Amino acid sequence: MALFESFGISASGMAANRFWSDLIANNVANINSSGTPGDPANQPYRRQVPVFNEILRQQTGARQKSTVQAPGKGVQVSQLVHVDSEPTLIYDPGHPDADPQTGYVAYPNINILNEMVNLISATRAYQSNVTVLEAAKSMAVAALDMGR
Amino acid sequence: MEFFRDTISTILAKQMDACTLRQKVIANNVANVNTPGFKKSRVNFQQHLREALGSGSFAMRTTNVRHIAAGPSGLDNLVPEVVLEKSTAMKASGNNVDIDEEMVNLVSNTLLYRLATRVRSDRANTMSYVIKGR
């Protein structure tokens, strides 16, 4: 039944956006996770972003016969990218992560405004998927109530 | 009369199928609202229904069951069609999902489905009334 497939599609959207908001939470939580400049063994935290991809329907023999073009099956996070951006250097010689020569500490280059805007996008997208799920549910209930 | 094999019941069933498919397509569009390069789909049903019912285009009259009607394809072959909209772009990423449009389509699709089920249900109730006489 196609309505249940619709539930699954909305669920995939909710899962992907929840995952995105988890990544944003992790980015914000690690905004001060410092490292030593120029030391590969002690790098600052790197910002993580998801890459969304549409899940395409597998074309099976039974489906190909129908003239209906198959829509997709939702969304998935296909990969998790660590963003390589130059760390922000802050002079703090007393810090345990400070470079012994220069006295600079490397902090992750995370823009908090950027993260908050992305968080709003993720939240709104999640809500939209919930709304679609509610609509599909009300359709299923209407079908169940037929003939009463 | 054949139970639930008349034109109205067939149209209602087809309409419900189309609404279910459209719901799936809208769910997919909304799920992919942040997917770069994604292009939305829509379901084309009303136009096919109009063509199948024969209004708008000319219909060839058949006077024998073995005649093949040209023009309107008839209700039996009526299938909703999923159309990919490639031409437009809403965002810099090439994604063309307009979330407002999708939500409006979602609401009207749900109401249309509920309407079809209500009408179908009422017809079933009428039948029940005729059979039971109360």
Side-chain angles (χ1 to χ4, degrees), chain B residues 21-89:
Chain B
L21 180 67
R22 188 179 289 130
Q23 165 68 30
K24 215 166 80 179
V25 167
I26 293 171
N28 193 46
N29 289 346
V30 172
N32 283 290
V33 71
N34 287 319
T35 307
F38 174 81
K39 297 295 183 192
K40 69 182 172 187
S41 304
R42 64 184 165 81
V43 174
N44 192 356
F45 177 70
Q46 247 57 26
Q47 192 192 335
H48 289 291
L49 178 62
R50 205 171 292 131
E51 281 166 11
L53 290 176
S55 65
S57 59
F58 74 95
M60 233 181 224
R61 183 179 290 270
T62 55
T63 52
N64 187 297
V65 283
R66 285 177 296 175
H67 287 171
I68 299 165
S73 51
L75 280 174
D76 291 336
N77 300 322
L78 179 64
V79 278
E81 179 191 17
V82 180
V83 186
L84 192 66
E85 288 201 12
K86 287 185 187 156
S87 54
T88 54

Side-chain angles (χ1 to χ4, degrees), chain A residues 5-6 54 69 74 139 147, chain B residues 23-24 28 32 82 113 121:
Chain A
E5 287 180 40
S6 166
E54 187 188 9
Q69 193 206 331
M139 284 167 71
Chain B
Q23 165 68 30
K24 215 166 80 179
N28 193 46
N32 283 290
V82 180
Y113 187 86
S121 195

Side-chain angles (χ1 to χ4, degrees), chain A residues 2 14 23 36 38-39 56 58 66 71 77 80 101 104 114 116-119 122 124 128 134 136 140:
Chain A
M14 284 156 70
L23 289 184
T36 310
D39 182 3
L56 294 172
Q58 302 292 318
S66 103
V77 177
L80 185 59
Q101 269 86 48
Y104 278 99
N114 211 343
M116 293 326 262
V117 168
N118 284 344
L119 184 61
R124 290 282 180 264
S128 310
E134 288 285 341

Side-chain angles (χ1 to χ4, degrees), chain A residues 6 15 26 109 128 133:
Chain A
S6 166
N26 199 32
N109 190 0
S128 310
L133 181 64

Side-chain angles (χ1 to χ4, degrees), chain B residues 7-22:
Chain B
T7 312
I8 303 273
S9 291
T10 312
I11 292 174
L12 287 173
K14 297 267 183 191
Q15 178 70 71
M16 282 168 69
D17 281 348
C19 283
T20 312
L21 180 67
R22 188 179 289 130

